[in-house]
């Protein structure tokens, strides 16, 4: 077992796996290479040393190096890695910070939507002025328009589903390289409907009819990550599907997979754009023209969620079928393929 500590000239710790006993040895160490007969941590013979340069301070303790000369060469080589080591560490920190920033940004935005929904239903000034009788005034405001209250409930449920998906992505995918999935058998249609119902108000507002066929397949997957994929696919459908048309959702099976298929007339994707659609950060020309594109992560995230569940995602884009108000639409098909267990 090797133990080491690498500190740069600004006293930043670049690497450190020292135990408490190692730190005692380090505090007494004023030589570059020496053998010790009894290691306070392991009780064996080892070599350790400290090499200080104008760029770094490197301490190494090793039980494998046979001679002091070889050990000196090893600690010198370790100190030479400091300039290269600093770059990836800073990049890692930057990337991790981006992940946290993205989570905070998304959650802040979703929370703002929820607050807006609540105060659109019951004005904030009404609650503030009548705080002693809030329940009475809330019931009065809700009873004025029950349809509005029901739709608000669904929108808040949708936002909460989105919020849960953000937490799931961060906890299971972005926070740690070791992805931990909880794969169980689920009724595919039920999982779909659990997400789909929260978008009812979005489809109703644009007069889009969603036809879900009857199917009874059970598939093994991680519920949270698949729900993330469904959320993004359905959200895209609410944004890009042609108003006053129908979305057909069905499922079928073949020898290796159970396929969940979404068929719709939605924003046209040019042939030269199609290979990039599932790339992170990409938005098609028509999506931009419609001014409904986000950060370009929806299709990429769907593909990612299916892949970690040993499935796949397929998008089949058709030729231009219809033009309306300067926008082009095609018959497009999106298929979530789940591996049979």
């Amino acid at each position: 077992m090797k133990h080491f500590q690498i500190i740069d000239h600004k006293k930043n710790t670049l690497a450190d796996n020292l135990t408490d006993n190692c730190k005692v040895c380090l505090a007494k160490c004023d030589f570059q290479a020496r053998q010790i007969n009894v290691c306070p941590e392991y009780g064996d013979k080892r070599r350790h040393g400290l090499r200080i340069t104008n760029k770094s301070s490197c301490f190494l303790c090793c039980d494998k190096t046979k001679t002091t000369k070889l050990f000196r060469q090893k600690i010198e080589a370790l100190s030479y890695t400091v300039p290269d080591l600093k770059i990836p560490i800073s990049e890692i920190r930057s990337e991790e910070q981006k992940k946290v920033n993205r989570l905070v940004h998304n959650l802040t935005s979703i929370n703002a939507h929820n607050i807006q929904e609540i105060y659109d239903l019951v004005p904030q000034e009404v609650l503030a002025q009548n705080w002693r009788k809030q329940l009475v005034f809330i019931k009065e405001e809700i009873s004025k328009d029950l349809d509005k209250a029901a739709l608000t409930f669904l929108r808040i449920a949708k936002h909460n589903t989105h919020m849960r998906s953000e937490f799931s992505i961060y906890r299971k995918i972005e926070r740690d390289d070791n992805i931990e999935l909880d794969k169980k058998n689920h009724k595919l249609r039920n999982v779909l409907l659990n997400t789909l119902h929260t978008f009812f108000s979005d489809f109703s507002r644009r007069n889009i009819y969603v036809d879900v066929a009857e199917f009874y397949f059970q598939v093994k997957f991680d519920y949270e990550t698949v729900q993330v994929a469904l959320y993004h696919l359905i959200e895209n459908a609410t944004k890009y599907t042609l108003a006053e048309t129908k979305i057909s959702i069905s499922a079928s099976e073949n020898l290796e997979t159970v396929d969940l298929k979404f068929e719709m007339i939605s924003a046209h994707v040019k042939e030269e754009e199609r290979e990039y659609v599932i790339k992170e950060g990409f938005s098609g020309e028509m999506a931009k023209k419609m001014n409904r594109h986000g950060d370009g992560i929806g299709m990429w995230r769907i593909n990612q969620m299916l892949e970690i569940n040993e499935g796949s995602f397929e998008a089949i884009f058709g030729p231009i079928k219809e033009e309306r108000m300067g926008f082009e639409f095609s018959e497009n098909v999106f298929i979530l393929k789940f591996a049979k267990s």
Side-chain angles (χ1 to χ4, degrees):
M1 180 66 180
K2 295 182 179 67
H3 290 279
F4 50 84
Q5 182 187 79
I6 305 172
I7 299 174
D8 68 12
H9 67 288
K10 293 183 179 180
K11 306 300 182 183
N12 296 315
T13 300
L14 304 181
D16 187 347
N17 70 343
L18 300 185
T19 67
D20 290 339
N21 284 325
C22 293
K23 292 175 183 177
V24 172
C25 288
L26 172 58
K28 298 176 181 179
C29 186
D30 58 359
F31 43 83
Q32 185 167 327
R34 182 181 295 177
Q35 179 175 294
I36 55 173
N37 293 321
V38 181
C39 170
E41 181 73 21
Y42 299 104
D44 57 359
K45 287 185 178 182
R46 304 172 73 88
R47 285 181 171 81
H48 70 206
L50 176 67
R51 187 171 193 267
I52 299 175
T53 68
N54 60 349
K55 294 183 178 180
S56 66
S57 170
C58 297
F59 175 79
L60 175 64
C61 178
C62 179
D63 62 342
K64 300 296 183 183
T65 310
K66 294 183 179 180
T67 68
T68 300
K69 181 179 180 181
L70 289 174
F71 179 87
R72 187 177 289 111
Q73 293 173 353
K74 184 175 290 187
I75 197 171
E76 286 177 356
L78 183 64
S79 69
Y80 293 146
T81 66
V82 171
D84 295 327
L85 184 62
K86 289 177 68 176
I87 295 173
I89 286 178
S90 64
E91 290 177 350
I92 290 169
R93 287 174 178 165
S94 175
E95 186 60 33
E96 290 303 312
Q97 189 61 50
K98 285 180 183 178
K99 293 176 182 179
V100 174
N101 290 347
R102 180 162 56 193
L103 175 66
V104 172
H105 169 78
N106 290 345
L107 292 178
T108 301
S109 177
I110 298 166
N111 183 59
H113 285 306
N114 268 346
I115 292 173
Q116 187 63 48
E117 295 288 356
I118 291 169
Y119 290 144
D120 280 348
L121 183 62
V122 183
Q124 188 174 11
E125 58 270 19
V126 172
L127 295 177
Q129 292 170 7
N130 305 284
W131 63 274
R132 292 183 184 277
K133 298 181 179 180
Q134 283 186 338
L135 289 179
V136 173
F137 283 94
I138 290 171
K139 287 191 286 186
E140 287 180 356
E141 290 294 325
I142 290 175
S143 63
K144 289 178 182 177
D145 193 337
L146 294 179
D147 287 343
K148 179 181 178 181
L151 291 172
T152 299
F153 175 90
L154 288 175
R155 285 194 293 270
I156 290 175
K158 181 189 72 173
H159 296 325
N160 286 342
T161 299
H162 189 185
M163 196 176 298
R164 182 168 63 182
S165 77
E166 292 293 335
F167 280 122
S168 297
I169 290 167
Y170 184 75
R171 186 176 67 252
K172 291 192 172 185
I173 309 299
E174 295 193 336
R175 188 179 63 180
D176 198 335
D177 290 335
N178 298 316
I179 300 173
E180 294 185 6
L181 301 180
D182 181 20
K183 291 187 176 183
K184 296 179 180 177
N185 285 317
H186 298 280
K187 293 180 180 179
L188 185 57
R189 194 172 190 273
N190 289 353
V191 176
L192 166 68
L193 294 176
N194 285 345
T195 303
L196 181 63
H197 84 270
T198 63
F199 288 89
F200 172 79
S201 62
D202 299 271
F203 289 122
S204 295
R205 187 175 64 252
R206 303 188 60 232
N207 199 23
I208 296 171
Y209 178 72
V210 182
D211 178 35
V212 182
E214 294 290 334
F215 51 86
Y216 305 96
F217 300 111
Q218 286 209 20
V219 188
K220 189 173 184 179
F221 53 73
D222 175 72
Y223 181 90
E224 287 189 343
T225 51
V226 167
Q227 188 179 54
V228 170
L230 289 169
Y231 179 92
H232 282 287
L233 182 52
I234 297 168
E235 183 186 41
N236 276 359
T238 65
K239 292 193 295 184
Y240 301 125
T241 300
L242 180 61
E244 301 178 349
T245 60
K246 182 175 77 170
I247 297 174
S248 297
I249 305 176
S250 60
S252 60
E253 66 176 329
N254 52 51
L255 291 176
E256 298 182 347
T257 63
V258 172
D259 299 345
L260 182 62
K261 181 187 295 185
F262 292 70
E263 299 175 87
M264 63 193 76
I265 299 175
S266 57
H268 176 66
V269 178
K270 293 182 176 181
E271 288 191 26
E272 60 268 26
E273 295 177 329
R274 294 173 185 178
E275 63 178 299
Y276 302 105
V277 163
I278 61 172
K279 303 289 185 182
E280 183 178 10
F282 181 83
S283 293
E285 180 182 313
M286 192 53 55
K288 292 178 181 177
K289 187 176 180 180
M290 296 169 75
N291 199 27
R292 294 176 186 167
H293 66 288
D295 297 323
I297 66 169
M299 302 285 273
W300 168 75
R301 188 67 84 185
I302 297 166
N303 186 62
Q304 181 191 36
M305 295 300 102
L306 267 293
E307 284 186 347
I308 65 174
N309 280 281
E310 298 177 358
S312 61
F313 175 57
E314 183 179 2
I316 304 171
F317 300 104
I320 297 173
K321 177 182 177 63
E322 186 172 342
E323 292 189 32
R324 189 179 296 185
M325 298 179 66
F327 303 128
E328 299 168 348
F329 296 89
S330 306
E331 291 184 346
N332 298 322
V333 181
F334 304 94
I335 307 172
L336 280 64
K337 296 176 177 286
F338 299 90
K340 286 185 175 180
S341 55

